[in-house]
Amino acid sequence: AKMKMKSEPEDNGNGNETAPPPSKINKPRYHPLIQKLGLDKSRAAKGEPSSREILNYLLQNELLDEKDLQSAYDDLSTFSSKKKVQGCDETDSLAKANIMKDGNANTTCMNGSNSQKQQCRYRNVALRFYYEGSEYSGLAENIGLESDNSIEKALFAALIKTNFVESRESCNFSRCGRTDKGVSSAGQVVALRVKSNISPQATWDKAGSQFVENAELPKNSVDPITLYQPKQKNDASNRVEKTVKEYPYDKVLNNLLPETIRILGWCPVSDDFSARFSAMTRTYRYFFVARPKYLDIERMKKGLEKMVGKHDFRNFCKINVEQVYNFERIIHEADIFSTESNNIHYFQIVGQAFLWHQIRCIVSVLFMIGRGDEDPGLVTELLDVIKNPGKPAYPLAPERPLVLHACGFKELHVGHFALNLWRVSCNLERQWENLVLNAARIQNCLDSLKEVPLLQKDVLGFAKSKMQERLKKKQKYYPCNLPEKEFLSTLEERLATCDKKVITWQEGLMLFESINLIPSPEMLTESVHIPLWKRHKGPTLEEKVELLSHSKRRQQIYDDNIVKKRKSKEEDRAFYQHMTQQGGSAL
């Protein structure tokens, strides 16, 4: 007997239910014979056979066809799953099918019943991607915060919509470098468990005895494999030969991600691989404009060289004692490079791992050295945490020029594919072109100002006022040998002899440069550098740990993250030796 079920009421889109067709209203939920035999009840009466026993009897005596029963089961399972899944209407399903079209996606396995979920295979992969961080609140998702505008939130929205993952919690997610608000990346790496296009029932033989293992899956989305899969989902006995490829994860996700986030490539990885703990190096670049006579590149290089090697960087970071107890880090390489355009340079710093705000603190100190406000020997003093256990107060360098350039792994070889990289390159070229044209328009305006006429008396008077302001502030910290005194004397002499002569703004800029007045963003507000060792010093690491005892909540966090999880050097060495051997390849 075939059961006919009453149609569920449908939502008309306004929150109101529409009535089912009249022909279906009065139909009973169960067949009359089912009701007569009492099989519509949840439990059979004592001494009477249950519906399970009746079905078993019919099957064993070949009175009921197996395929008919299986078909009825599949229909009812699909019907049940549609009632349970909310917010997945026909339009949404069609949208998902279109997104996945190029990957031959099976979009039902994530939203179906348990039996359907078992039809999906999952595998561990690493994704390498780019993002422009200026629009986002940072890489890490602030889970549960509605106003969160993180890169990971956008990434998981795309992963869930494509059914590659069911949820963040279930996919074993890890990231290589956690970047802050405004920071970008040219090669961030994350690892997670995603759905595969290869069925778990796939075999190498038609008989169905040699199942395809995860280690035998395609390593990329280019190379096809030929295998045998059930013609119908639940009919393993009837297998057909198929040639299939793995999902093009990069291409499919980029169809949904915003233009400021692009997946560059992917590859399979071992089960123990962690994007965080398997990484050998992280490379950061910090871009800056080196205006002539404003920043001394060679002085900054001397300071940067002193940071290479293993040092305690507690004076070059934001100390968070609830999360970190060891502030020793290794910097493998550090240098300054120039680009081909408009005096743009960048610091490149390669290290094993970095502390919170470490790069921005390093850059801030180097800028002080480059402007001549501090000596390169300052770096050595700050690295001596026994002599200087408390960090002097100084601002962070701006976040937007910072880029996580690359993540290095010993055994990871990410696959990049021509079609995807072509689209990514075209997208980035468009962004670059828009920004370069913006810069060209601004430069045009700056150039047009150079021929603007001004009274020489006005220019000299402005320069004199700037020198007087600077001298007044500097005398508090630098009592003698100030060049501003000589500059001021020269300006006063020229003012006394000048007439109503008109000069151009270009000539005025040359005058300003001769007395060390360079127009730059920092000069909008006249400030005087206070020597670092005359500034207030923050509490030492030991004092910060001691202060935790005043807060039970913070003390508990410290105990959970530091005290209980702290390992010996031997344990740490064994752990990282194992983790750095993990990886995978797309080749």
Side-chain angles (χ1 to χ4, degrees):
K2 291 188 177 179
M3 291 184 250
K4 294 185 179 179
M5 307 192 68
K6 183 176 72 175
S7 297
E8 289 293 312
E10 297 178 354
D11 195 323
N12 62 10
N14 299 319
N16 302 318
E17 294 178 348
T18 56
S23 60
K24 296 185 179 181
I25 292 178
N26 298 320
K27 283 192 176 182
R29 180 173 177 83
Y30 296 101
H31 191 278
L33 181 59
I34 299 295
Q35 293 178 322
K36 181 179 179 181
L37 297 175
L39 296 177
D40 56 335
K41 300 180 176 60
S42 59
R43 292 185 180 180
K46 190 174 182 180
E48 294 181 354
S50 66
S51 55
R52 182 188 302 175
E53 291 172 329
I54 294 172
L55 284 173
N56 188 51
Y57 174 85
L58 293 171
L59 288 169
Q60 287 185 344
N61 291 277
E62 299 183 353
L63 298 174
L64 178 63
D65 188 83
E66 292 181 10
K67 291 184 178 179
D68 288 343
L69 180 60
Q70 185 67 63
S71 177
Y73 177 87
D74 292 342
D75 290 342
L76 291 172
S77 296
T78 303
F79 179 83
S80 177
S81 67
K82 283 183 179 178
K83 292 198 298 180
K84 291 179 182 178
V85 177
Q86 297 180 359
C88 185
D89 57 16
E90 184 178 357
T91 303
D92 190 46
S93 298
L94 287 172
K96 290 180 181 179
N98 287 331
I99 292 167
M100 302 293 294
K101 181 173 61 175
D102 292 331
N104 300 320
N106 174 12
T107 59
T108 62
C109 71
M110 295 300 296
N111 292 331
S113 63
N114 289 334
S115 64
Q116 287 172 310
K117 287 182 182 180
Q118 292 171 1
Q119 303 302 318
C120 295
R121 182 196 295 267
Y122 292 88
R123 65 186 308 188
N124 295 307
V125 302
L127 300 177
R128 181 171 179 262
F129 64 106
Y130 148 90
Y131 52 85
E132 166 56 49
S134 59
E135 299 180 4
Y136 298 95
S137 59
L139 171 67
E141 181 177 4
N142 298 302
I143 300 173
L145 187 65
E146 289 186 7
S147 60
D148 176 55
N149 181 34
S150 64
I151 291 134
E152 286 181 1
K153 182 178 180 181
L155 177 62
F156 272 98
L159 285 165
I160 291 171
K161 192 166 183 65
T162 54
N163 286 333
F164 284 152
V165 302
E166 188 174 18
S167 67
R168 181 192 179 98
E169 294 73 25
S170 65
C171 68
N172 195 27
F173 179 79
S174 64
R175 67 176 82 88
C176 183
R178 178 171 179 166
T179 56
D180 293 326
K181 178 182 178 181
V183 179
S184 302
S185 177
Q188 177 69 268
V189 173
V190 297
L192 68 165
R193 194 169 178 81
V194 295
K195 184 182 71 175
S196 171
N197 192 35
I198 313 303
S199 167
Q201 299 180 22
T203 59
W204 296 114
D205 62 327
K206 191 170 184 178
S209 59
Q210 298 177 11
F211 282 91
V212 177
E213 301 294 336
N214 269 23
E216 300 173 309
L217 294 177
K219 296 181 181 295
N220 52 59
S221 52
V222 176
D223 298 328
I225 60 172
T226 301
L227 43 74
Y228 290 88
Q229 291 186 171
K231 188 174 183 179
Q232 297 180 352
K233 290 182 183 178
N234 296 293
D235 185 8
S237 61
N238 186 11
R239 293 180 171 272
V240 294
E241 185 180 51
K242 287 187 177 181
T243 299
V244 294
K245 294 181 180 181
E246 187 54 279
Y247 289 135
Y249 297 109
D250 45 8
K251 177 184 171 185
V252 174
L253 289 171
N254 285 341
N255 287 339
L256 285 176
L257 287 167
E259 286 191 346
T260 48
I261 305 174
R262 297 284 94 176
I263 307 296
L264 303 177
W266 70 276
C267 72
V269 292
S270 52
D271 291 344
D272 287 347
F273 177 83
S274 165
R276 178 185 178 188
F277 295 116
S278 298
M280 297 285 288
T281 62
R282 294 162 176 86
T283 301
Y284 280 91
R285 287 183 175 180
Y286 191 97
F287 293 84
F288 64 97
V289 177
R291 291 178 173 84
K293 299 185 180 182
Y294 185 70
L295 283 177
D296 189 327
I297 300 297
E298 292 305 315
R299 282 175 61 89
M300 292 194 292
K301 282 187 175 184
K302 289 179 181 178
L304 192 55
E305 289 170 0
K306 299 178 186 297
M307 300 185 192
V308 176
K310 186 176 182 180
H311 303 284
D312 190 315
F313 285 93
R314 69 182 67 180
N315 288 330
F316 287 93
C317 71
K318 184 174 182 179
I319 296 178
N320 183 359
V321 294
E322 297 168 23
Q323 302 291 337
V324 181
Y325 68 91
N326 179 13
F327 292 85
E328 286 189 344
R329 293 294 184 271
I330 299 173
I331 291 183
H332 301 301
E333 303 171 19
D335 205 346
I336 301 176
F337 297 91
S338 61
T339 65
E340 297 178 354
S341 58
N342 294 332
N343 298 314
I344 295 176
H345 294 64
Y346 61 87
F347 300 99
Q348 179 163 295
I349 303 176
V350 182
Q352 183 179 7
F354 293 91
L355 299 161
W356 192 10
H357 293 330
Q358 183 179 344
I359 300 294
R360 292 169 64 191
C361 284
I362 289 173
V363 171
S364 180
V365 171
L366 292 175
F367 280 164
M368 297 177 199
I369 295 170
R371 290 192 296 265
D373 296 329
E374 297 285 354
D375 188 80
L378 172 67
V379 173
T380 304
E381 295 293 316
L382 288 172
L383 291 175
D384 188 347
V385 296
I386 297 176
K387 182 180 178 181
N388 301 295
K391 176 188 173 186
Y394 61 86
L396 290 171
E399 70 277 0
R400 290 188 64 174
L402 181 58
V403 176
L404 174 58
H405 178 67
C407 302
F409 298 84
K410 185 178 181 180
E411 299 293 341
L412 187 71
H413 306 283
V414 176
H416 303 90
F417 310 105
L419 174 59
N420 181 63
L421 285 190
W422 173 261
R423 293 180 176 179
V424 170
S425 297
C426 292
N427 177 276
L428 291 175
E429 286 287 345
R430 180 173 62 226
Q431 295 180 46
W432 173 84
E433 186 175 292
N434 289 337
L435 293 173
V436 167
L437 292 175
N438 287 342
R441 289 194 296 271
I442 295 171
Q443 184 62 54
N444 177 69
C445 188
L446 285 171
D447 292 340
S448 67
L449 292 176
K450 292 179 180 179
E451 301 305 318
V452 171
L454 295 92
L455 286 173
Q456 185 182 34
K457 184 177 180 179
D458 176 38
V459 175
L460 290 170
F462 171 77
K464 178 183 175 181
S465 67
K466 296 293 287 184
M467 283 298 105
Q468 287 175 330
E469 183 182 357
R470 182 181 293 182
L471 183 61
K472 183 179 178 180
K473 292 180 178 179
K474 271 194 169 184
Q475 282 178 330
K476 183 177 180 180
Y477 303 102
Y478 308 92
C480 58
N481 298 325
L482 292 176
E484 283 77 12
K485 290 182 179 180
E486 184 178 344
F487 293 154
L488 191 57
S489 177
T490 302
L491 288 170
E492 287 174 344
E493 290 178 5
R494 293 187 64 175
L495 269 171
T497 58
C498 78
D499 50 17
K500 295 182 179 180
K501 182 181 178 182
V502 174
I503 63 173
T504 64
W505 181 240
Q506 175 68 31
E507 293 172 317
L509 290 175
M510 292 172 65
L511 168 67
F512 297 150
E513 186 178 313
S514 69
I515 58 174
N516 202 24
L517 277 178
I518 311 293
S520 66
E522 296 82 5
M523 296 298 290
L524 284 172
T525 56
E526 183 64 44
S527 60
V528 172
H529 176 80
I530 302 173
L532 229 57
W533 300 121
K534 293 185 178 182
R535 301 185 187 188
H536 169 74
K537 290 186 180 181
T540 65
L541 177 61
E542 292 72 23
E543 289 170 342
K544 280 180 171 284
V545 173
E546 188 177 344
L547 287 172
L548 292 176
S549 60
H550 299 298
S551 169
K552 289 184 178 180
R553 183 186 66 83
R554 294 185 66 196
Q555 183 67 51
Q556 185 62 48
I557 295 173
Y558 174 79
D559 291 340
D560 292 341
N561 291 337
I562 304 299
V563 178
K564 295 179 182 179
K565 294 181 180 180
R566 186 176 295 185
K567 298 177 182 179
S568 66
K569 290 184 178 180
E570 291 73 18
E571 289 175 318
D572 273 341
R573 190 179 298 111
F575 172 76
Y576 283 107
Q577 186 174 2
H578 169 72
M579 293 304 295
T580 54
Q581 297 298 321
Q582 305 304 310
S585 174
L587 304 177

